[in-house]
Amino acid sequence: MKTNGIHYQDGKLPVSPFPIPVSEMRMRYMQLYTGAINDVLRFDYNLHASSLPSAFSPLREEMKMAGMAFTVKGGPDITTDGEFEMRAQMLEDLHQDSVVIWDCTGDTVTSQWGEVMTMAAVKAGCRGALVNGIRDTKAILNLDFPVFHKYKTSTGMLGRFRMYYYQKPVQIGEVIVNPGDWIFGDIDGVTAIPNAIAYDVLLAAEKILHKEEAIKEMVESGIPPTEVVRNGGYF
């Protein structure tokens, strides 16, 4: 099966176009941090617009998420016809190792994510969500589901906000996110990695981690910073 350019096996498991399975890609990304990924995208690929807006923060500081973007577009709207059905179908279409990315068209009033949606996402194998507003915060925390959000509010979205479509390209801040792009988030923010280079970015970021271990060892041993730089290190 192929949907929006992404191939799936039975059970909505994405087929990896890379030398390793999607599940392994996700596990290895989870060992990284946003700074290393951002440096690779900027310096190796000249992609200076890869970080999603800094207003998005994790519900808990230790929360991290990695997976393939499942995009949703919505906005302030008072119409309600078919809204429940579309929302239910979207949740049913979530796939294993997905991360839900909501383009909320600047909404600052409603919550687009809550407890029951979180429960459905977890059942589908979804690995996180980026959304403007949330509610049922305590329940989401109890489910230990990574959510990156802008604000909390008790105002539900029915009659105030609605989904327009999903699994099409969306723009979050200055970043265009396509379905299937890789998403990584930690305490320092959320980064989008184009699917076509996601595996190579992973390898390059892993090399940075290994190099930085050597740099930290030099600093810890008391080597002066200028000498660290002469030895190939950086700060």
Side-chain angles (χ1 to χ4, degrees):
M1 177 175 63
K2 183 178 181 181
T3 305
N4 297 294
I6 306 170
H7 293 269
Y8 297 97
Q9 298 171 338
D10 293 340
K12 296 185 294 186
L13 291 173
V15 178
S16 177
F18 306 115
I20 60 175
V22 169
S23 58
E24 183 180 339
M25 283 270 288
R26 194 192 78 84
M27 289 176 61
R28 287 170 62 176
Y29 261 107
M30 287 292 287
Q31 306 306 311
L32 302 176
Y33 66 95
T34 46
I37 297 170
N38 187 279
D39 285 351
V40 170
L41 292 171
R42 285 188 300 133
F43 298 129
D44 293 2
Y45 294 93
N46 201 32
L47 292 177
H48 290 272
S50 61
S51 296
L52 303 188
S54 58
F56 290 103
S57 59
L59 197 51
R60 280 197 181 109
E61 288 188 345
E62 66 270 19
M63 282 182 169
K64 295 175 71 173
M65 65 181 183
M68 302 175 72
F70 186 103
T71 58
V72 177
K73 171 70 173 181
D77 195 316
I78 63 172
T79 63
T80 60
D81 53 301
E83 199 281 330
F84 275 145
E85 290 79 6
M86 180 180 284
R87 203 187 318 180
Q89 189 62 58
M90 180 274 290
L91 291 167
E92 198 165 304
D93 288 345
L94 288 175
H95 59 79
Q96 182 75 28
D97 294 324
S98 58
V99 171
V100 188
I101 301 295
W102 285 70
D103 175 0
C104 297
T105 321
D107 185 45
T108 61
V109 175
T110 67
S111 62
Q112 302 88 29
W113 195 265
E115 178 184 12
V116 181
M117 293 182 76
T118 301
M119 293 174 64
V122 170
K123 288 289 186 182
C126 179
R127 302 297 186 172
L130 178 138
V131 63
N132 280 22
I134 64 169
R135 70 176 186 177
D136 308 328
T137 304
K138 181 68 186 246
I140 296 173
L141 286 170
N142 289 339
L143 289 165
D144 199 27
F145 183 78
V147 174
F148 286 67
H149 70 302
K150 290 185 176 180
Y151 59 85
K152 304 179 186 71
T153 178
S154 61
T155 303
M157 66 189 232
L158 186 64
R160 304 293 300 273
F161 177 103
R162 70 173 299 145
M163 291 173 48
Y164 297 144
Y165 53 78
Y166 57 91
Q167 285 297 70
K168 295 181 180 182
V170 297
Q171 184 165 353
I172 311 291
E174 60 179 358
V175 181
I176 294 175
V177 181
N178 292 286
D181 285 348
W182 279 78
I183 302 295
F184 180 82
D186 64 14
I187 191 172
D188 288 327
V190 181
T191 298
I193 307 105
N195 182 276
I197 61 173
Y199 181 68
D200 292 333
V201 169
L202 171 66
L203 298 181
E206 288 177 333
K207 288 180 180 178
I208 287 178
L209 255 63
H210 295 145
K211 183 173 183 177
E212 288 185 346
E213 286 300 319
I215 294 172
K216 287 185 283 189
E217 287 178 6
M218 286 190 283
V219 174
E220 182 67 25
S221 68
I223 295 176
T226 52
E227 188 174 339
V228 171
V229 171
R230 282 196 295 270
N231 290 334
Y234 50 80
F235 291 89

